[in-house]
Structures are given as structure tokens and as C-alpha cells.
Amino acid sequence: MDSDATNRLAPHEIAFLRGGRRAAVTVAVLALQARGAVKPGRGGTMRTTGPAHGARADLPALPHLAKTVHAALYRPAGMRQLLDREPVALALIDLRYELTVAGLLRVFPPGRTRAGRRTLRDLRNRHPLPANARGLSFDDRLLAVALYGDRALTRLVPRFAREAGLLGRGGTTERELRQSWGGGSGGFSCASV
């Protein structure tokens, strides 16, 4: 894969490449939260607060996954419930397919290709983990969470991450790619693609 294509990866794609389904949805939720479209609900859940387009014109257009997550939060949900909702599960299958076609993921055995590992390594070398959120743009925050998962969440958006159930028991984004691809009650796995 050429470096231009690597530079065009969106944060949710980088997150999927790093940590799988949960990581990609976490980045999508943060994109929605920045627009004021999602906030924490009761007991570690998330809920919508308004339209996904938000009032901030300085933010980039929402990717398909974020729009799907927003629509899937028609009822408050925790991360596990959200991952199991059919539209989100299908959008994640599409995302995995796109990354596989791009040569960054392989189907069997599931995981990153050499190009995928190199892409993550290069991105981390160019974008080290920030010490705090001070002075970071929206894009920089999303990229940090995409690349570093829980470590970035706890540094950059700790309160939202904790209250929305993105951290803690059942909320980690640090699962290995193989584990986050399959399982769950949604019934989707590599074999079903």
C-alpha cells in the first residue's frame, strides 16, 4: 500500500486496524460527542442528544460508521449492546472488508498484514501520545485515541470515557484484533463475511 493511501486513513479506520470493532466504534462515538450529538447516559451507557451534524462547522464530515452509530443509539446503549446492533455490526463488516481490500488486514488468520503493522508503526512515530488535551485540535484527539486507545482516552477525555462506559469493566478498547473480530451475540465473524 502506498504512503498516500496510508495518509488518507480516517481515525475510525486506524482505530479498527489497531484494536478492531470496539476501537473503531469508540472513535465514532468521540466524533459524535465532539458535535454534541452523544453524551453519557445512565450506568455507563451512551445516548443521543440531537442531530449528528451538530452546530460546529469547523469539524469534518462524519464517516458512515459515525452516522450509523448515531442512528443505532435510538435507545441508550452500552458499548456491548451498540456493537451487537445490526446496523453497526454490518458497518463494521464493511469497514473490515475495505481494510482487507486495501491490504492492511488479512482474513486468515485474522490480523494485520505487514503493511498494516508498518502503517501503525509509522503513524505512531509521527504522532506520539500527547501528555494532555491542552492545545489539541479535534482531529488530533481522534487520531490519538485511534492510535493509543485507553491510554489516550484517559488523558484526553477521561470523564466522558468513564461515564459513557468506554473505559473500565467491559469498556476497554485494548482488545487484540483477533478477539474483537469474532464472538459476541451478534453472530458476525470472519467466516461470515
Side-chain angles (χ1 to χ4, degrees):
M1 173 163 210
D2 64 27
S3 61
D4 287 339
T6 299
N7 290 334
R8 288 190 303 262
L9 287 176
H12 68 283
E13 294 169 322
I14 295 167
F16 193 100
L17 185 60
R18 178 194 55 80
R21 297 165 16 109
R22 181 180 296 272
V25 170
T26 296
V27 168
V29 166
L30 289 178
L32 291 165
Q33 185 260 348
R35 288 169 167 74
V38 169
K39 73 179 197 176
R42 296 171 125 180
T45 62
M46 297 161 273
R47 65 183 186 87
T48 59
T49 58
H53 56 76
R56 291 184 55 188
D58 62 324
L59 298 177
L62 279 174
H64 173 69
L65 179 61
K67 292 176 186 176
T68 302
V69 166
H70 185 264
L73 286 170
Y74 60 91
R75 278 192 337 253
M79 181 59 82
R80 288 182 183 169
Q81 292 169 311
L82 188 55
L83 287 167
D84 286 343
R85 290 191 175 163
E86 187 174 359
V88 174
L90 292 173
L92 290 166
I93 287 171
D94 290 343
L95 179 56
R96 180 177 57 229
Y97 175 77
E98 291 168 13
L99 292 170
T100 302
V101 169
L104 299 171
L105 293 175
R106 64 179 179 268
V107 175
F108 188 78
R112 294 178 210 104
T113 63
R114 183 178 298 148
R117 291 188 302 274
R118 186 177 342 112
T119 297
L120 285 177
R121 184 183 63 240
D122 291 348
L123 285 167
R124 285 182 178 140
N125 286 338
R126 286 187 305 204
H127 305 280
L129 178 63
N132 57 52
R134 208 170 311 123
L136 289 180
S137 70
F138 166 76
D139 289 335
D140 291 339
R141 289 179 194 204
L142 280 186
L143 182 59
V145 172
L147 287 171
Y148 299 102
D150 286 355
R151 292 187 300 161
L153 281 171
T154 57
R155 288 184 187 188
L156 305 178
V157 287
R159 183 175 178 188
F160 174 76
R162 187 179 53 256
E163 290 176 1
L166 302 178
L167 293 170
R169 193 166 53 123
T172 184
T173 64
E174 298 303 312
R175 296 180 182 259
E176 286 298 313
L177 194 55
R178 282 185 300 282
Q179 295 171 355
S180 61
W181 273 27
S185 60
F188 295 99
S189 67
C190 288
S192 65
V193 178

